[in-house]
């Protein structure tokens, strides 16, 4: 079984592989009796890409170990499509005609990175048979169904980030054509809401209000899970409209704010390593560009608040910090996304 860049190899064939392949991570021991060969070494270039490769390799190995009736659902359907989630090392979610007992998948070491073990979670809610697809060599439920499933059953932050990422990728979001991008994203959102309504008619225990709120609050302008997580925190405390990729023109230059509360002229920016570049020269040049950009925005009356990965280690502190940015206002309206 293959996903072009990852290939499942049973243990009976492992003796043909060189020790170098196994030690470098080019061949990963994913589960008992199943290894996955990495055909493209670029998948293991960074710890982050290695974690992604392991997540997809686990789907391939688990599918190969079954009887052909397994369908990956929810978060795993999204992982199979290469869409990032909030969790770097997500559990595997799968449905089969006969529900199996609990199962864990071993920790995987590849290219010097150890990816911890995860659980296999068997779903009792079957996927829509007419929406099934084969993606990356594995059988998955439709992307709309996967998003609805997460909105109903996953933890709030995980569901919100996943739906933001699905809207971003499915809309092919571009800051240079936002109207068209958001129109495409709204079509996807409407499909999700329609499927949610159908689920509600079929099942009594669907948390409709919760799922609808998450879907309506999600935004395609989030380029990565960290921006989506930051948006989730901001919306939970802001009584004002919050927009993503807000266009600001100053002195002949155009800037795009990750997240902005335009009424208060506050900008929230997530600072990730990917934004800085890959070389020392690129990092230094990008830092200088940030300083000049922030000076121009502040001269125009904008307040710029920067957030980094370390801030997500304490969501309560981050929420308090963002709430203080609104402390000078006297809005009587409660934040619409506070729940």
């Amino acid at each position: 079984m293959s996903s072009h860049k990852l290939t499942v190899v049973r243990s009976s064939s492992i003796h043909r592989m060189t020790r170098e392949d196994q030690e470098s991570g080019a061949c990963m021991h994913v589960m008992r009796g199943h290894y996955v060969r990495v055909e493209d070494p670029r998948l293991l270039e960074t710890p982050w890409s290695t974690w992604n490769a392991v997540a997809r390799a686990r789907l391939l190995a688990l599918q190969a170990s079954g009887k052909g009736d397994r369908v990956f659902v929810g978060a795993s359907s999204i992982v199979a499509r290469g869409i990032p989630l909030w969790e770097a090392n997500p559990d595997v979610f799968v449905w089969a005609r006969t529900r199996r007992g609990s199962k864990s998948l071993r920790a995987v070491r590849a290219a010097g990175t150890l990816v911890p073990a995860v659980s296999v979670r068997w779903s009792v809610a079957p996927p829509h048979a007419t929406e099934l697809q084969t993606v990356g060599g594995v059988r998955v439920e439709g992307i709309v169904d996967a998003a609805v499933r997460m909105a109903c059953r996953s933890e709030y932050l995980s569901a919100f980030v996943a739906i933001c990422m699905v809207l971003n990728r499915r809309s092919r979001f571009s800051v240079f054509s936002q109207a068209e991008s958001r129109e495409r994203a709204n079509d996807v959102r409407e499909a999700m809401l329609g499927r949610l309504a159908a689920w509600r008619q079929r099942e009594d225990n669907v948390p409709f209000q919760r799922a609808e709120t998450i879907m309506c609050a999600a935004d395609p302008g989030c380029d990565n899970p960290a921006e989506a997580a930051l948006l989730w925190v901001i919306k939970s405390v802001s009584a004002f409209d919050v927009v993503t990729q807000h266009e600001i023109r100053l002195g002949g230059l155009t800037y795009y704010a990750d997240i902005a509360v335009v009424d208060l002229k506050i900008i929230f920016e997530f600072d990730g390593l990917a934004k800085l570049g890959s070389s020392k020269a690129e990092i230094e040049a990008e830092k200088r560009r940030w300083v000049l950009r922030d000076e121009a925005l502040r001269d125009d009356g904008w307040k710029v608040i920067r957030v980094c990965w370390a801030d997500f280690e304490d969501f309560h502190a981050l929420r308090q910090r963002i709430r203080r940015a609104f402390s000078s206002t006297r809005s009587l309206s409660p934040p619409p996304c506070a729940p």
Side-chain angles (χ1 to χ4, degrees):
M1 184 180 297
S2 171
S3 62
H4 305 298
K5 296 179 181 179
L6 300 172
T7 305
V8 174
V9 182
R10 296 185 184 277
S11 57
S12 58
S13 303
I14 198 64
H15 67 277
R16 303 176 202 162
M17 300 181 185
T18 67
R19 181 175 297 275
E20 182 181 355
D21 281 342
Q22 297 179 45
E23 292 180 351
S24 68
C27 184
M28 302 182 293
H29 189 189
V30 177
M31 58 184 292
R32 184 178 179 182
H34 292 81
Y35 291 71
V36 172
R37 185 195 292 276
V38 181
E39 307 289 355
D40 187 346
R42 290 175 297 180
L43 294 179
L44 304 178
E45 280 184 342
T46 66
W48 180 257
S49 64
T50 300
W51 285 58
N52 288 336
V54 170
R56 296 168 71 181
R58 283 171 169 153
L59 304 184
L60 279 167
L62 193 60
Q63 173 117 14
S65 68
K67 299 179 179 179
D69 64 337
R70 296 179 175 180
V71 178
F72 294 95
V73 300
S76 292
S77 175
I78 295 173
V79 167
R81 292 173 166 86
I83 299 174
L85 300 172
W86 174 243
E87 296 81 7
N89 188 34
D91 286 337
V92 175
F93 295 84
V94 61
W95 174 88
R97 292 184 182 87
T98 302
R99 186 182 183 187
R100 277 70 171 180
S102 60
K103 180 182 180 67
S104 63
L105 295 179
R106 55 175 292 150
V108 176
R109 183 175 294 279
T113 297
L114 180 64
V115 181
V118 298
S119 298
V120 177
R121 301 183 181 276
W122 297 92
S123 174
V124 297
H128 285 274
T130 58
E131 300 294 329
L132 300 184
Q133 298 175 319
T134 298
V135 178
V138 296
R139 197 70 166 155
V140 298
E141 71 177 340
I143 189 67
V144 169
D145 287 315
V148 173
R149 189 183 294 265
M150 288 198 70
C152 291
R153 309 188 193 284
S154 297
E155 188 271 332
Y156 289 92
L157 175 58
S158 298
F160 181 82
V161 170
I163 293 175
C164 285
M165 292 297 93
V166 169
L167 293 177
N168 177 275
R169 299 304 190 265
R170 302 295 283 189
S171 68
R172 306 182 303 280
F173 190 89
S174 170
V175 295
F176 305 112
S177 56
Q178 293 202 41
E180 296 84 352
S181 297
R182 293 186 186 279
E183 185 175 348
R184 290 191 294 267
N186 285 333
D187 289 341
V188 178
R189 194 195 319 271
E190 287 301 318
M192 292 179 187
L193 293 170
R195 191 59 53 84
L196 174 64
W199 278 35
R200 188 185 189 187
Q201 291 179 353
R202 191 177 71 240
E203 302 177 31
D204 294 333
N205 61 343
V206 173
F208 181 85
Q209 192 62 54
R210 161 211 157 124
E212 182 182 53
T213 299
I214 291 173
M215 291 177 190
C216 292
D219 192 297
C222 298
D223 188 55
N224 55 62
E227 288 182 11
L230 178 56
L231 178 65
W232 180 74
V233 175
I234 295 168
K235 284 198 169 188
S236 72
V237 299
S238 175
F240 300 88
D241 289 337
V242 180
V243 297
T244 60
Q245 303 304 330
H246 179 62
E247 182 178 323
I248 304 171
R249 297 183 180 181
L250 295 174
L253 298 176
T254 300
Y255 303 110
Y256 293 96
D258 286 350
I259 303 169
V261 179
V262 180
D263 289 346
L264 304 180
K265 297 199 78 171
I266 300 176
I267 292 172
F268 298 90
E269 296 274 307
F270 171 74
D271 295 344
L273 291 178
K275 287 188 175 183
L276 290 175
S278 57
S279 67
K280 183 176 181 180
E282 288 179 347
I283 291 173
E284 292 302 320
E286 188 63 21
K287 284 182 177 179
R288 288 193 296 271
R289 192 187 71 82
W290 273 2
V291 170
L292 294 175
R293 178 182 186 272
D294 284 3
E295 286 179 353
L297 290 170
R298 290 189 175 106
D299 288 344
D300 192 53
W302 290 91
K303 180 178 182 180
V304 181
I305 298 175
R306 294 194 172 276
V307 175
C308 63
W309 277 115
D311 293 308
F312 290 125
E313 294 177 3
D314 188 341
F315 275 96
H316 176 72
L318 177 58
R319 187 171 284 109
Q320 291 298 100
R321 177 186 169 196
I322 293 172
R323 185 177 283 115
R324 285 195 295 271
F326 303 144
S327 62
S328 61
T329 66
R330 291 290 183 269
S331 174
L332 299 178
S333 303
C337 295

